[in-house]
Amino acid sequence: MQVRKAPYWYEVVSWDGSVVSHPVEVVTPKTVEDIVAVMKDKKRYPSPVRAVGSNHSATTVAIADQGTTISMRGMNRILSIGKDTVTVQAGALYIDVAKELEKHKLQFHVNLEIGNITVGVAACCGTKDSSFPGEYGQISSYVIGMKLVKPNGDLAEVTENDPELLRVMRASNGLLGIVYEVTFRVAPLKAMHIDYDYYTLEEFERELPNIQARPESMFMYITPFIGRITVERRKYIEGSVPAPENWRWRVRNYFWKNVAPYVGYWSSRYMAWTWFRHFMQNSLNRFQTGVMDRLIFGRTSPTDQMIRFDESGGRRKYGFSIWAFPEEKFPKLMREYFEFNIEYYKRTGYRCDMLNVGYRISQDDSNFFSYSHDGPVMTVDPVSSGNDGWYEYLAAYNEWCIQHGGKPLFSQSRFLTPRQARMAFGSRIDEFNKIRRQWDPENRLLNQFYAGVFEGTAAAPES
């Protein structure tokens, strides 16, 4: 999280620099008593009060303009590791906890690429990785306990003893209280095998039922302007787990962290010839998926896929958006997504300058706003260095998604409008807001974005 002091307020800047909040106070608590003091002193610490971790959210959910930002990074201790659980303070980085679990022959059930996410954010906001057979793909689904400071300063604890409240807390997005401690259910560390298959769009449409039927996790690299989809297949296997951070995955992570975003950034901003710029981007996409097929395969440790990104993205930053769609619609939808991107490029001259990705997530109603609440889903996640036209593209993409039955993430689907949120989640918006008002009748934690989504009293920013 970047914090700058302006004349009368602070500037809290997101990882990629695209979201800037202007709170009048920024607090980095060391103890739960520090959080309680903030919540109770409304004069010194004005509303809205928003907690942040590494500030990697792609949307304006953490904005606290004229309010108070609580940076949880000062509370980052691993408190206990049990046989199948880990209890952690909310400001700890997910990758740090994963590496410590690895030393104890344990692992998270969900090991996502962005290792910089903090535990508190992972517990109560939507984020995901591809589901393994018999498992969920959403991190919060494996949260079995939370401790938090309520908006009035009281302490609360939510556990599996109250499963419905825990289900709501997993989707609370910091609106019911400031989470300061989380307990996850974890699993024995297992070796994982990675492999890749390449498909044309026609082949993918034909083979998708067979791909989905395999006892494997499914992650996709999507290239609309090349007309191909690369499927990364992951499965757990018997045998010893390789030493962490083997060279194959260091190569893979280096490309994701450095090469891909930097080439996208450089080519989009400094290469004047459009045809050559797109040739370069297409060539990198082909090279990147080709390198994975030839180098990044075989046995690995599950935590190796996590990447420790820099605190500030700089020229290696990238932005993304996430929408999920019913699995049964996906073969046709993928063709329509390719057509949407090609038509949008012909009309506006804009295209994403990085690989698009996608995930398959199992049905899961453990999270109140789960996008796989009604059945298995597959996501489409455009990715960009933030080149000119990216924001306009996302606004058009959101509308395309909602018209195709998509469901968003509040923290990772930028430019989401209140209308689109309601179309996606319907009466769940009203049900959650009823609970939110009971927990926070004075709107201590409600910022402008969520006021638009849940109250309808203000337009969600950037809508």
Side-chain angles (χ1 to χ4, degrees), residues 294-310:
R294 291 166 176 80
L295 291 179
I296 317 303
F297 61 87
R299 185 187 299 262
T300 183
S301 172
T303 62
D304 282 349
Q305 69 193 58
M306 291 189 187
I307 301 174
R308 189 185 301 274
F309 289 95
D310 297 333

Side-chain angles (χ1 to χ4, degrees), residues 19 140 212 258 297:
V19 179
S140 63
Q212 293 169 334
N258 299 292
F297 61 87

Side-chain angles (χ1 to χ4, degrees), residues 143-288:
V143 172
I144 60 174
M146 296 187 209
K147 292 182 179 179
L148 62 150
V149 180
K150 296 173 67 174
N152 64 2
D154 292 345
L155 301 183
E157 183 174 4
V158 182
T159 70
E160 291 180 302
N161 293 330
D162 192 341
E164 188 55 34
L165 180 57
L166 183 59
R167 180 170 169 263
V168 173
M169 286 302 308
R170 290 169 177 153
S172 59
N173 293 271
L175 293 169
L176 304 184
I178 307 299
V179 175
Y180 65 89
E181 185 179 307
V182 184
T183 299
F184 292 91
R185 179 167 286 114
V186 296
L189 183 64
K190 300 180 285 286
M192 187 171 69
H193 186 275
I194 307 290
D195 214 340
Y196 296 86
D197 291 322
Y198 292 84
Y199 300 97
T200 64
L201 181 59
E202 292 75 16
E203 291 169 341
F204 181 79
E205 290 175 322
R206 184 176 64 249
E207 291 297 320
L208 184 57
N210 295 327
I211 301 170
Q212 293 169 334
R214 292 171 176 168
E216 299 170 330
S217 162
M218 176 183 175
F219 175 52
M220 297 171 291
Y221 299 91
I222 302 167
T223 53
F225 293 92
I226 299 176
R228 297 185 69 86
I229 298 169
T230 301
V231 175
E232 179 179 286
R233 298 183 287 109
R234 311 170 186 169
K235 62 181 179 182
Y236 291 123
I237 58 176
E238 297 296 328
S240 61
V241 179
E245 300 182 8
N246 67 69
W247 70 269
R248 296 180 187 277
W249 280 75
R250 287 203 303 270
V251 171
R252 179 257 200 190
N253 291 348
Y254 184 82
F255 263 88
W256 268 117
K257 179 179 177 179
N258 299 292
V259 178
Y262 186 80
V263 170
Y265 179 95
W266 180 82
S267 62
S268 291
R269 289 159 180 78
Y270 302 114
M271 193 171 287
W273 295 338
T274 301
W275 69 269
F276 190 62
R277 177 170 68 248
H278 294 161
F279 171 78
M280 285 281 292
Q281 292 167 358
N282 288 342
S283 297
L284 178 65
N285 290 342
R286 288 192 177 98
F287 178 75
Q288 191 171 351

